[in-house]
Amino acid sequence: MKSTVENLDPARIKLTVEVPYEELEPSLDAAYKEIGSQVQIPGFRRGHVPPRVIDQRVGRASVIQEAVNNKLPDFYRDALNDSGRVPLGQPDIEVTELVNVTGPQGGQLAFTAEVTVRPEFELPELGGIDVTVDAVEITDADVDTELDNLRARFGSLKSVKRAAKTGDFVTIDLKAVIDGEEVDSVSGVSYEIGKGNMLEGLDDALVGLKADGSTTFTTKLAGGEHAGEEAEVTVTATAIKERELPEVDDEFAQMASEFDTVEELREDLRAQAAERKTGDQAIAARDALLEQLRDAVSFDVPESVVEDEIKQHLQAEGKPEGDPHADEIRDDVTSGVRDQILLDVLAESLDVSVTQDELLEFLMQTAQQYGMEPAQFMQGAQQAGQIPAFVFEIARNKSLAMALRHVTVKDSNGEAVDLTEFIGSDELDAEAAAEAGAAAAAQAAEDEVVVSPADADEAADSGSSASSASADSADDAE
């Protein structure tokens, strides 16, 4: 097979492939057998029809079509591998020449394939990248916040008759109207004022509202088929409650923790706050590294990939192609595709692999986010062909963690930051791999059947008897 590559633009190539008859011949032979097993021709048994008869009765063109359809994907894949480019979509293939349809067998198969490919670019040397994150500083205020969060877990709610304020829990009814038509409504929802995790403007609307009071505000809907659209939302507070927190004393420390005194509890909360902020450092370092990589590389995002992503997004929201929402999300989609391409190249450069355990953990967490049974979610993902996309997502996230091992991370005080707890290390990976190999070898040894000398003699006798029986059977057959 001979193939050539033509660069149509930085993100699209044209492959021209020529396959001599000899390379297609095995597939043609298989096609003759397949067609011969399907047709009934007088004078011949199924599966034993000579090729020349098939050519006469069915037509050589049908055989060639069968052979080409079966083998063309392999020829395309081989040509793409030879090009060294990574596809980002399905190819547009055109067959330009077929082997001889009439006359003697021979000729060649030729076709072209145009496909969008991943842009090529060079990543910067990770060892030359410096990342700075905020230093971990734990104040008494941080400890007080941790303590208040703990107290909230053991608090109780009490109804109040006053106007609602930030921190109160309110039971609300919501009704959304667009152009005079009600498009959504919910009732009896419990919401903590100040959380800001429902609708923009809801907190401001609720503050000052009394039980059974209503007010209307304008906002963009956050979910459903009208997500992102502006609506008039009427909210009614049916109940208002405030949380009563327990007193901070030794009795509370004993009830809420393993410690006997408040002082011991506060020290533990200080350590927890420090650990949490160190985790925040890892997240900040990851985000800072990604931002530096974005600035260091330059490539054009393939427009066709962006359009496909937008189309899928609109379909998921039940919107038609050409909906104005497409223009609203175009910049975000383009940035997302760009990051995916960047991280895919980073993952390849670091030889990132995804283990079965990592995939299962990801699937379990995703199922939990969607409120689905893990087995049901995994089955649905597999049937929808989403597993490869999930593997890519895990590898992208992993690539940043592994890349952080090679960069210099310092805090705002100029001190080196050790993120090994969060990003691991090459040494720990090697140790884990060695332990896994040793465990597998030990398990394989345990699975081997240990035979005593007496058992071995018995097995040998059985084997001899079996051999004799086989020989006798063969003699009888003769």
Side-chain angles (χ1 to χ4, degrees), residues 308-324:
D308 287 343
E309 289 285 331
I310 291 175
K311 186 183 300 183
Q312 292 177 21
H313 187 93
L314 293 177
Q315 288 176 348
E317 294 188 353
K319 293 182 171 66
E321 289 188 41
D323 190 276

Side-chain angles (χ1 to χ4, degrees), residues 436-450:
Q443 185 63 48
E446 288 181 10
D447 291 341
E448 289 182 358
V449 179
V450 179

Side-chain angles (χ1 to χ4, degrees), residues 172-178 183-186 198-202 205 214-222 229-236:
I172 58 176
D173 297 338
L174 290 168
K175 182 177 70 173
V177 175
I178 297 178
V183 296
D184 200 3
S185 65
V186 292
M198 282 191 69
L199 291 172
E200 186 178 349
L202 180 59
S214 298
T215 188
T216 300
F217 63 101
T218 302
T219 188
K220 287 186 178 181
L221 299 182
E229 295 183 35
E230 200 167 81
E232 294 293 323
V233 177
T234 299
V235 57
T236 302

